[in-house]
Amino acid sequence: MSSRPKMDYRAKSHLSYFAYACHRFSGLLLACFLPLHFLMLSQSLRGAAGFELALGLTDIWVFKFGEWTLVILLAIHLAGGVRLLMIEFGPWRGLRKGWIQASILFAMICGLLFLYFAN
C-alpha cells in the first residue's frame, strides 16, 4: 500500500500548472537540441567544405520549421523562467495569471517576429 496522498486533479487544471508544464517541456526539448547543435558545430573542425555541406542541410523546410520551433521554445522557456523568478523573489504573494498570459503572448510575438524577419 502506498503512502502517497491522493492527487487532487483540480490543481492540474489551473493555468499555473499549464505554465509549469510548458516551462518544463520546453526545457527538456531544448536539452535534446543541444547535442544536435554541438554535432553541427563539430563539422567545422573538418574544414570549410564539411561545414558548408552541413549548412546546406539547413535549407530544407524541416530545418526551417525546426528553427522556428526552437525560437518558440526559447521564448517559452525564457518567459516561464522570468515568471518563476518574479514569483520567487518578488514582494507579492500568490501566482499571477496576468504574468502567465504575458509570457504566452511574449512567446507568440517572438515566433511571429522570427517568421517575419527570417525571410
Side-chain angles (χ1 to χ4, degrees):
M1 186 149 149
S2 176
S3 63
R4 287 179 42 183
K6 290 184 85 172
M7 181 65 175
D8 186 6
Y9 290 102
R10 291 178 296 171
K12 288 191 174 187
S13 64
H14 196 271
L15 187 60
S16 63
Y17 182 78
F18 175 73
Y20 156 78
C22 286
H23 181 75
R24 179 63 55 100
F25 185 67
S26 65
L28 290 173
L29 288 178
L30 289 171
C32 292
F33 163 75
L34 281 177
L36 296 173
H37 181 64
F38 293 145
L39 177 69
M40 183 67 98
L41 287 177
S42 72
Q43 297 303 311
S44 66
L45 298 175
R46 298 180 185 211
F51 189 62
E52 287 296 325
L53 180 66
L55 279 180
L57 290 174
T58 61
D59 289 333
I60 302 172
W61 71 270
V62 174
F63 283 93
K64 297 292 183 189
F65 179 75
E67 287 176 349
W68 176 74
T69 305
L70 181 65
V71 168
I72 294 292
L73 288 173
L74 284 169
I76 289 172
H77 199 70
L78 172 72
V82 169
R83 183 189 71 85
L84 286 175
L85 286 173
M86 290 175 73
I87 290 171
E88 288 291 325
F89 298 114
W92 42 80
R93 297 207 181 266
L95 302 173
R96 306 283 187 224
K97 287 185 181 181
W99 294 344
I100 298 169
Q101 294 164 351
S103 64
I104 292 169
L105 182 65
F106 172 75
M108 288 179 177
I109 288 171
C110 285
L112 291 173
L113 284 174
F114 179 76
L115 284 177
Y116 179 73
F117 289 118
N119 293 328

